[in-house]
Amino acid sequence: MQAAENHATYFEPDTGKERIIVVGGGPVGVRTGQLLAKSGHSVTLLSDEAHKPYNRVRLTPLLGGDVQFGEIELDDISDADGSLAVLTGMRVMRIDRDKKEVVTGDGSSWPYDKLVLATGSSAFVPGIQGKDLPGVFTFRTADDASALLARSFSARNVVIIGGGLLGLEAARGLQKRQCNVTVIEHEGRLMPRQL
């Protein structure tokens, strides 16, 4: 399996570089990995998403049909000297702080000298009845956008819970796909955290 090959390749003990594992392929994980690699460390970025890292800000234009997924993927972020390796589809299942290693879903263990957790945030889903029913989605990742895109072909009426920035962006993207959209916001105005 590729992970085992990568494991052997990126953790040669004679490199003399400090081995850093970055968990998370979002913007913070990618930028942190790049900066650490440029400062002389051997960095392996483990992302649980199957996609290569992408510009999350551009998920809204993707949802609205203004761009294709290939247009939001980040250019090759690995550096030429191999100091930064980016591995996708690598969900971290366990961290063993005593052994200084992380274990991924495929059973590989990844030793580290230092560990950075940059797993990002998750969508807040209110604890309301029906939240687990089919047809209820979140909007934070490329997989979320893909599920919403697929649903937009059959859904004509959409309710967005949350009138913050992401909720309004999702509403606009689905409106561009000819859905009738209703936005529900708990506070007395839209974008209450921003305005």
Side-chain angles (χ1 to χ4, degrees), residues 6-178:
N6 288 334
H7 176 92
T9 302
Y10 295 115
F11 292 111
E12 294 294 330
D14 59 356
T15 63
K17 292 183 177 182
E18 187 172 43
R19 300 167 304 173
I20 299 178
I21 297 285
V22 176
V23 178
V28 172
V30 168
R31 187 71 179 135
T32 299
Q34 289 173 320
L35 291 172
L36 288 169
K38 283 182 183 172
S39 62
H41 303 289
S42 177
V43 181
T44 299
L45 186 146
L46 302 174
S47 174
D48 68 347
E49 291 191 80
H51 316 283
K52 69 187 256 189
Y54 54 90
N55 183 341
R56 292 175 193 270
V57 174
R58 299 197 67 206
L59 286 175
T60 301
L62 178 70
L63 184 59
D66 298 325
V67 297
Q68 299 297 314
F69 188 76
E71 296 175 74
I72 71 169
E73 286 181 324
L74 298 177
D75 292 331
D76 188 21
I77 59 174
S78 300
D79 54 1
D81 71 358
S83 295
L84 174 60
V86 177
L87 304 174
T88 58
M90 301 297 286
R91 178 177 289 273
V92 172
M93 305 303 288
R94 186 169 46 90
I95 298 170
D96 187 329
R97 292 177 62 191
D98 293 330
K99 290 184 180 178
K100 293 187 98 170
E101 68 180 18
V102 297
V103 177
T104 52
D106 66 354
S108 296
S109 41
W110 302 83
Y112 63 84
D113 295 310
K114 292 195 177 156
L115 176 65
V116 177
L117 299 177
T119 55
S121 60
S122 58
F124 171 73
V125 178
I128 57 178
Q129 188 174 4
K131 68 180 181 175
D132 298 323
L133 292 174
V136 177
F137 303 92
T138 57
F139 181 52
R140 187 156 303 272
T141 68
D143 288 339
D144 293 341
S146 178
L148 283 166
L149 281 170
R151 184 58 180 227
S152 72
F153 293 112
S154 62
R156 294 292 44 116
N157 297 302
V158 176
V159 175
I160 305 285
I161 299 177
L165 187 58
L166 280 176
L168 294 178
E169 287 180 344
R172 178 64 179 137
L174 290 167
Q175 185 182 47
K176 288 183 79 175
R177 295 207 174 261
Q178 309 307 312

